[in-house]
Structure formats: C-alpha cells, structure tokens
C-alpha cells in the first residue's frame, strides 16, 4: 500500500489505544506541521506557481485537520499539550545529503513530504480498521480519505521539478531507508512512533 516497503505492526494500535490523549496530542501537531511544511514551500519556492497554488490549498486543508483533532481533544475534556518530538521525521530527514542546488533541495523536500504523507495515511488506515473506539475509527477513516492524495501530489511535483529517472531512483532509496527505520518503530503511542 502507498508504495511503502514495510507495513506497520498492527500491535501498534494496542499501544495507541491505551493512551488516546497522547496520540491525539501528537496527531494535532502532525497536522500543524503538515500545514507549516506547505507554507515553507511557498516561502522557499515562490516562483513555482503551480506548487504555490496547491500549497495554499494544502495548508488550509491541513489546518482544517488540525482544527478537527483539536476539537476532539476538547470534546474529551482535555487541553492541547506541548508538541511531541517526532523522532521518525528527524531520522528520515537525515537521508539526503545537505547542500546541492536549489532544485535538488526542492526535490528532496517534496520526497520527504510524500513519504511522511504516505506513512501517516497508512497509520490512519490502521487506526480506522483496528481501534476499538468506534468514534475514533470513523474519524480516522474520514481523515484517511482526505489524506490519500497528498502523497501522490508531492511525488508528482518532485517528478515535475526534478529529472524523472533521478527522482524515481531517489524515491526508491528513500523508501528502503524508511523501511529500515520502521523496523525499530511501531512501539510508541505517537503517530509515527
Ligand atoms: Fe492532514
Ligand atoms: Fe496531509
């Protein structure tokens, strides 16, 4: 599914289920970070008009998701806590070497975004299918549907602004690296943990 090379261990849901407040807190920040990633692409690459247009729409959509998760937190009588560190994203973003041309930097950013979207979508699907809390299962089912085209959009832009064969090769390498990373994850009650 989604090109990912290693599925998440379904037992991750059992860990998540024991601490709904924690997963919702972490998830809320994932949505906010997705919105700020879209905005950072606008700031960094204002001349890419098609990208700018899509990133405006995406930042709005992701802030809409943030709002939905925030409402869920309030409905359950909690208050949004502090941001959790996302070790997965930190490790993932070590893959491509720093430096290179501006275009290369753009392609790398787009590929990271594509992968984070794909893995998040996979985690949403798992939650929608496996979590016992019916209300949250429905919630994640709906979110998964609206996230599903984000990863393909980022991949499409990477192929548009980079050289196709180079981009495809980098994407495969990143997928393999991510699968290795994933072997040590699936053990924490965070969206990518
Ligand atoms: Fe989202
Ligand atoms: Fe997304």
């Amino acid at each position: 599914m989604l090109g990912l090379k290693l599925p998440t261990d379904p037992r991750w849901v059992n860990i998540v289920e024991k601490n709904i407040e924690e997963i919702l807190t972490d998830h809320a920040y994932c949505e906010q970070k997705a919105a700020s990633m879209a905005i950072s692409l606008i700031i960094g690459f204002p001349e890419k008009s098609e990208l700018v247009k899509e990133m405006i729409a995406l930042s709005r959509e992701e802030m809409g998701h943030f709002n939905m998760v925030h409402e869920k937190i309030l409905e359950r009588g909690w208050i949004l806590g502090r941001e959790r560190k996302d070790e997965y994203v930190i490790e993932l973003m070590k893959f491509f070497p720093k430096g290179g041309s501006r275009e290369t930097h753009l392609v790398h950013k787009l590929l990271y975004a594509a992968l984070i979207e794909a893995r998040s979508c996979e985690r949403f699907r798992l939650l929608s299918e496996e979590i016992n809390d019916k209300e949250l299962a429905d919630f994640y089912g709906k979110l998964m549907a609206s996230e599903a085209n984000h990863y393909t959009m980022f991949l499409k832009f990477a192929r548009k602004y980079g050289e196709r064969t180079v981009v495809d090769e980098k994407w495969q390498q990143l997928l393999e690296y991510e699968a290795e990373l994933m072997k040590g994850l699936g053990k924490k009650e965070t969206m990518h943990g």
Side-chain angles (χ1 to χ4, degrees):
M1 183 218 186
L2 305 156
L4 298 171
K5 297 202 184 286
L6 189 76
T8 295
D9 186 335
R11 284 174 298 183
W12 168 74
V13 179
N14 305 127
I15 298 165
V16 165
E17 240 160 8
K18 293 195 186 89
N19 198 344
I20 301 292
E21 186 177 3
E22 186 64 24
I23 190 76
L24 287 177
T25 304
D26 184 59
H27 178 195
Y29 285 101
C30 289
E31 299 292 356
Q32 207 185 95
K33 281 180 260 189
S36 62
M37 159 71 103
I39 294 168
S40 82
L41 282 166
I42 297 172
I43 296 168
F45 303 91
E47 78 284 7
K48 307 275 192 245
S49 305
E50 201 190 323
L51 179 70
V52 170
K53 283 171 122 183
E54 295 270 6
M55 291 304 111
I56 293 168
L58 184 68
S59 61
R60 284 192 179 129
E61 191 187 351
E62 301 291 15
M63 280 312 281
H65 295 165
F66 172 71
N67 181 42
M68 286 159 70
V69 183
H70 185 236
E71 287 299 320
K72 277 269 167 284
I73 290 170
L74 298 182
E75 270 167 29
R76 290 181 181 228
W78 299 316
I79 292 171
L80 179 63
R82 299 295 296 268
E83 182 188 352
R84 271 48 172 173
K85 216 173 169 185
D86 196 332
E87 294 291 350
Y88 166 80
V89 172
I90 294 168
E91 286 304 311
L92 190 71
M93 290 194 167
K94 287 179 183 167
F95 183 68
F96 292 121
K98 298 266 174 286
S101 71
R102 203 163 156 267
E103 296 287 319
T104 302
H105 181 58
L106 172 60
V107 166
H108 292 170
K109 268 192 109 161
L110 292 167
L111 291 179
Y112 284 142
L115 192 37
I116 296 165
E117 289 283 356
R119 181 59 72 185
S120 306
C121 192
E122 188 239 11
R123 292 275 170 110
F124 288 175
R125 182 190 53 90
L126 208 53
L127 290 172
S128 74
E129 288 171 358
E130 304 287 340
I131 205 161
N132 282 317
D133 185 316
K134 178 86 180 68
E135 198 211 331
L136 279 186
D138 288 348
F139 180 63
Y140 281 106
K142 284 192 200 104
L143 270 182
M144 185 195 63
S146 70
E147 296 283 356
N149 69 333
H150 292 172
Y151 111 92
T152 47
M153 176 187 62
F154 279 117
L155 205 51
K156 179 195 83 181
F157 278 124
R159 286 169 176 155
K160 178 182 165 76
Y161 298 125
E163 212 232 302
R164 175 74 191 239
T165 49
V166 175
V167 170
D168 285 350
E169 201 179 313
K170 283 183 174 178
W171 175 239
Q172 286 309 315
Q173 289 165 350
L174 184 63
L175 282 169
E176 271 158 35
Y177 172 75
E178 198 257 3
E180 278 302 311
L181 205 62
M182 207 28 75
K183 282 183 188 167
L185 299 171
K187 296 172 180 67
K188 276 169 78 182
E189 59 273 71
T190 55
M191 200 44 86
H192 302 124

